[in-house]
Amino acid sequence: MNDPFGRKVDYLRISVTDRCNERCLYCMPEGYHGWERQAEHLSADEIIRLVRVAAGLGFRKFRLTGGEPLVRGDLAAIVRGMAAIPGVEVIGLSTNGTRLAAQAADLRVAGIRTANVSLDALDPGLYRQITGGSVADVLAGICAAVVAGFERVKLNCVLMRGKNESEIWPLVHFAAEHRLPLRFIELMPLSRTDVLTEKHFLPVGEVMQQLREKDRLIPQPDRRIGHGPARYYLLERTGALVGFIGAMTRLDFCENCNKVRLTADGKIRPCLGNHGETDVRALLRAGVDDVGLAEMFREVLKNKPEAHVFRDNYTPGRPMVAIGG
Ligand code: SAM
Ligand code: SF4
C-alpha cells in the first residue's frame, strides 16, 4: 500500500509489551509506573489476526519490539503464528539482548530471522549506568543469536554526549571484529528524562567526523541494509559496517519511511514523531470483522503524516517504552 506521499508502506512494528527489565536513561522515565494492565495488552491471537489482515494488504516485514519483547512469556507462540501467515516475509526482533541467550534458539526455530540488539556501551560499569543491566548478558545474547543462525544481528547505540562518546571506537572495533552492522542513533525527544536535553544531544554528523579522523568512510550503495532508516558506510581500515540514524539532523529523514507501529495496548501509530493513534483494540473487542480491520489500515495509511515533528518543540506524550521502539 502507498501513502498519500507516494511512500510504499509494507513494514509493521509490533510492540508486544510496555514492560522492560532495563531502564535506559533515554527511554524510561525515573520511577515510571505507567504500565498498562496485562488485560489491556493485545493477546497473541489478536496480534496474529492483525498481522494476517496486514499481510493481506501487502505488509511484508514485521518486527517485534517493546518495552522488552523477551519479557513476554508467549513471544515464541506469537512468532510461530505470524510465520505461518502467507505474505509474511521477514520477522525481526528488537531487544536489549539481556535475555536472548536463553531464548535465541527457540525464537529462531519459531521464525525470527533478524535481531537488532541495543548496545550503548561495552564498558560494564558504563553499560550498567546507562541501562541498569549487565553487558555480559547482552554479549552472551548476541553470541547465542549468531550461533542460533539469525540471518543478521545488528547493534544499536543511542548517542549521548557526556555519557557514551568514549564508547564509539570500542563499539566500532567490536562490530568489525564480529562482523555485525552497527548503527548510531541520535537521541529523540521520546520521553521525559534527565538525559533528553540539548546538552546531551550528539549529532551523527559529529560522530562521522570523529570516525573520519582515523578512517575513511565509504558510502554503501545499498543504503538499506535491512529495512530501516540508517545510511551505511564501510570503514575502510577497520572493516566495520556503520549506519547512522540522523532522525533529528537529517531533514530528508522521513522521505523513505515505510512503516507503521502497533503499540502493546492496541493503538496503530503511523508515525513515531506524531501523536496520532487509532484504537484498534477497541475495534477488535467490539467484534469488528476482517473487512473492517482492512478498512482501518487503509484509513491509517491515508492519514500517515509526511514527517515527524520532533523539531517543532515536540512534547512527548507516552514514553518510548509505552509506544514501542
Ligand atoms: N527493549 C528493546 C531495545 O532496547 O532494543 C526494544 C525497544 S527500544 C524502545 C527500541 C529502540 O529504541 C532501542 O534501540 C533504543 O535504543 C531506542 N530508543 C529508546 N528511546 C530512545 C530515544 N529517546 N532516542 C533514540 N532512540 C531511543
Ligand atoms: Fe527497555 Fe529498550 Fe527502553 Fe532500554 S530502550 S528501557 S531496554 S525498552
Side-chain angles (χ1 to χ4, degrees):
M1 285 198 299
N2 280 13
D3 75 0
F5 306 99
R7 296 174 296 195
K8 183 176 170 201
V9 179
D10 62 354
Y11 182 5
L12 181 63
R13 248 186 218 207
I14 304 169
S15 171
V16 294
T17 179
D18 61 1
R19 321 268 157 133
C20 187
N21 60 329
E22 292 201 321
R23 43 155 191 75
C24 300
L25 294 178
Y26 44 77
C27 179
M28 182 92 72
E30 182 95 28
Y32 180 66
H33 290 298
W35 321 113
E36 294 284 346
R37 288 183 303 122
Q38 212 71 43
E40 315 293 338
H41 285 172
L42 295 187
S43 67
D45 286 347
E46 287 171 325
I47 293 173
I48 292 164
R49 183 171 167 214
L50 284 171
V51 169
R52 183 171 297 111
V53 173
L57 289 168
F59 281 81
R60 294 290 171 260
K61 301 151 201 162
F62 298 83
R63 170 168 298 281
L64 298 171
T65 179
E68 173 49 39
L70 271 63
V71 305
R72 184 158 167 161
D74 57 358
L75 184 66
I78 295 173
V79 176
R80 268 193 299 279
M82 289 171 59
I85 296 170
V88 172
E89 283 175 7
V90 185
I91 309 174
L93 179 73
S94 285
T95 174
N96 62 33
T98 53
R99 296 190 178 187
L100 197 50
Q103 298 183 45
D106 284 351
L107 289 171
R108 180 69 190 99
V109 171
I112 295 277
R113 287 175 54 181
T114 65
N116 292 351
V117 182
S118 290
L119 186 61
D120 299 326
L122 283 167
D123 176 81
L126 186 55
Y127 181 86
R128 188 170 293 284
Q129 201 193 320
I130 294 171
T131 68
S134 151
V135 75
D137 292 346
V138 183
L139 300 183
I142 292 169
C143 182
V146 172
V147 170
F150 279 54
E151 290 167 23
R152 194 175 45 240
V153 179
K154 278 193 239 164
L155 309 175
N156 280 339
C157 169
V158 176
L159 295 164
M160 289 166 282
R161 196 190 294 286
K163 296 281 178 196
N164 65 349
E165 298 121 306
S166 57
E167 293 293 302
I168 291 170
W169 272 111
L171 283 166
V172 167
H173 287 300
F174 179 86
E177 186 187 341
H178 298 279
R179 308 176 69 83
L180 304 172
L182 165 67
R183 303 187 304 177
F184 288 114
I185 305 173
E186 282 177 351
L187 267 183
M188 289 174 254
L190 287 165
S191 197
R192 287 170 207 275
T193 76
D194 291 347
V195 90
L196 287 172
T197 61
E198 203 53 41
K199 183 175 108 182
H200 293 295
F201 181 74
L202 178 57
V204 288
E206 210 175 301
V207 174
M208 291 172 77
Q209 206 44 49
Q210 189 183 324
L211 297 178
R212 279 198 183 100
E213 283 164 17
K214 292 200 197 156
D215 206 338
R216 195 159 83 87
L217 271 59
I218 307 169
Q220 293 306 283
D222 178 11
R223 283 178 183 166
R224 287 193 167 227
I225 295 169
H227 315 290
R231 287 195 167 158
Y232 283 93
Y233 295 80
L234 181 67
L235 271 65
E236 190 175 46
R237 270 195 292 281
T238 52
L241 185 60
V242 181
F244 299 91
I245 304 189
M248 302 301 289
T249 54
R250 246 187 60 207
L251 298 179
D252 62 351
F253 186 74
C254 304
E255 267 175 22
N256 294 313
C257 182
N258 58 349
K259 63 179 163 282
V260 165
R261 292 178 146 81
L262 172 64
T263 69
D265 62 346
K267 309 285 190 300
I268 299 263
R269 186 167 171 126
C271 173
L272 183 61
N274 277 276
H275 293 299
E277 294 179 348
T278 298
D279 190 352
V280 64
R281 187 187 68 198
L283 290 176
L284 284 168
R285 297 189 184 173
V288 68
D289 62 10
D290 285 359
V291 175
L293 286 178
E295 195 41 48
M296 180 275 307
F297 271 113
R298 285 198 193 92
E299 229 8 75
V300 165
L301 279 225
K302 253 196 248 164
N303 295 308
K304 184 170 160 63
E306 185 173 14
H308 69 65
V309 292
F310 286 143
R311 284 181 288 264
D312 305 333
N313 285 327
Y314 182 84
T315 317
R318 313 205 270 167
M320 180 66 151
V321 69
I323 300 170

